[in-house]
Each structure stands twice: as structure tokens, then as C-alpha cells.
Amino acid sequence: GGVGKTTIAKAIYNQIGRSFNYRSFLANIREICEQNVGQVSLQQQLLFDTCKETKTKIQNIEAGKIILKDRLQNKRVLVVLDDVSTLDQLHALCGSRQWFGSGSKIIITTRDMQILKGDRVDQIYRMKEMDKSESVELFSWNAFKQAKPRKELAEFSLEVVEYSGGLPLAL
């Protein structure tokens, strides 16, 4: 957590989203699914975002799968599934490639690489950790509004970077 998966997914969504008539960014899936109606509410949100459907009420996860497949199977969609933590979540929101039309893009962020195993995905991008100099620069921009800390703050900046583990969110 904190390495920047969501930030990069948002940037990609914002950059290419306009070329899709049907799109949705579902954030914090892990957190939402911990609530009683989490997956159903996410299915409802996906249906609203992509099809602007407000009248269709999804009663349960299985009904939601059928409705989503039916409404989206011929549409070219962009869907970002942020912070997926289980296969059940993935299956509830994009059961198979047949759910979506040709040219669709599904972007998944997760901490669990097992979710992406097999033939579920075409490409995997593993986040690279920043090196020490990149971490100091990010910290310096946020703390001091400049690329490098002043000399008297250089040692302190290195301590902060080490303490935070170089995670962008912490920095």
C-alpha cells in the first residue's frame, strides 16, 4: 500500500477515458466490499457509470452479474477496478471477457498478484519502488517546494525517506 497504484490508475483513466463512451472508475473496492452490500453497490455503480441506468435495481450479486453482462457485452468500455482483494470481487464486477465489447479496457489495481494469475489479464505492470534520490526529491517537493532540500535539511530528509520506506504516499 502507498506505492502509487491508485494514482497511476487515475492518471491513465483521465488520460484515455475520453476516448470511451462507457467508463467507470470504482475506487476502494476492498474497503467497500467489507460492508454488507458492498459488491452489489459496486455493481450498481458500474451500471450507472457506464449506462446511466438509475431504474434498474440489482437485488443480489448473481443477478448483478447477469444484468452487467447483458448491458455491457456489446459496448467498448473502460473500467478501473481499484484495490481488488479477492477473486469474488473481480468475478462480481467483470466475470469474463464476454461481458464487454471489442476494444474494452479493464484496469485492475491489487496488492495480491494471485488475482491476476492465469488467463484473466493480458498484461501485468508491477510497480517499481523509487530509489533513494527519487524519494528525497519527492519529499523535498512536498515539504520544501523545491527539487532538493537545503544543505541543513539534507540529513533530516534522508531520515524521513528511510523512516517512510520510500513510499510515495508516506512521503
Side-chain angles (χ1 to χ4, degrees):
V3 76
K5 298 178 296 294
T6 299
T7 302
I8 289 175
K10 280 182 187 175
I12 292 169
Y13 180 83
N14 290 335
Q15 186 173 25
I16 68 172
R18 287 182 277 283
S19 65
F20 291 82
N21 290 330
Y22 308 97
R23 59 187 176 268
S24 179
F25 189 106
L26 298 177
N28 304 314
I29 290 174
R30 177 177 44 89
E31 186 179 312
I32 292 168
C33 285
E34 290 172 358
Q35 302 165 6
N36 284 343
V37 293
Q39 288 183 4
V40 171
S41 69
L42 287 167
Q43 288 176 326
Q44 196 77 49
Q45 185 66 46
L46 180 56
L47 185 63
F48 174 76
D49 290 348
T50 54
C51 302
K52 305 304 179 221
E53 289 238 7
T54 55
K55 293 186 172 114
T56 302
K57 180 77 172 131
I58 297 175
Q59 299 299 322
N60 58 56
I61 294 167
E62 292 307 313
K65 289 178 182 181
I66 293 166
I67 292 167
L68 287 170
K69 180 182 177 191
D70 182 56
R71 299 297 198 294
L72 299 175
Q73 72 184 87
N74 294 317
K75 292 180 170 69
R76 181 176 169 267
V77 301
L78 170 63
V79 178
V80 175
L81 304 176
D82 175 54
D83 199 14
V84 174
S85 60
T86 69
L87 275 175
D88 287 345
Q89 295 163 0
L90 194 58
H91 290 157
L93 298 167
C94 62
S96 74
R97 295 172 190 268
Q98 287 69 41
W99 280 28
F100 308 101
S102 178
S104 293
K105 301 282 184 218
I106 312 300
I107 299 171
I108 304 162
T109 70
T110 184
R111 297 177 187 186
D112 183 357
M113 292 294 288
Q114 295 296 353
I115 291 171
L116 307 176
K117 294 286 187 204
D119 63 351
R120 291 184 198 101
V121 298
D122 293 327
Q123 279 185 304
I124 295 176
Y125 176 80
R126 184 181 289 263
M127 295 291 299
K128 297 177 188 86
E129 293 180 15
M130 292 189 302
D131 64 26
K132 195 174 286 190
S133 68
E134 292 170 322
S135 296
V136 168
E137 182 177 350
L138 177 62
F139 174 72
S140 185
W141 276 115
N142 284 286
F144 313 121
K145 308 297 183 231
Q146 56 191 31
K148 291 182 179 180
R150 295 187 316 256
K151 284 186 180 183
E152 63 269 16
L153 295 172
E155 186 61 36
F156 170 74
S157 297
L158 280 172
E159 289 174 15
V160 169
V161 165
E162 287 180 25
Y163 182 77
S164 69
L167 291 174
L169 185 61
L171 294 170

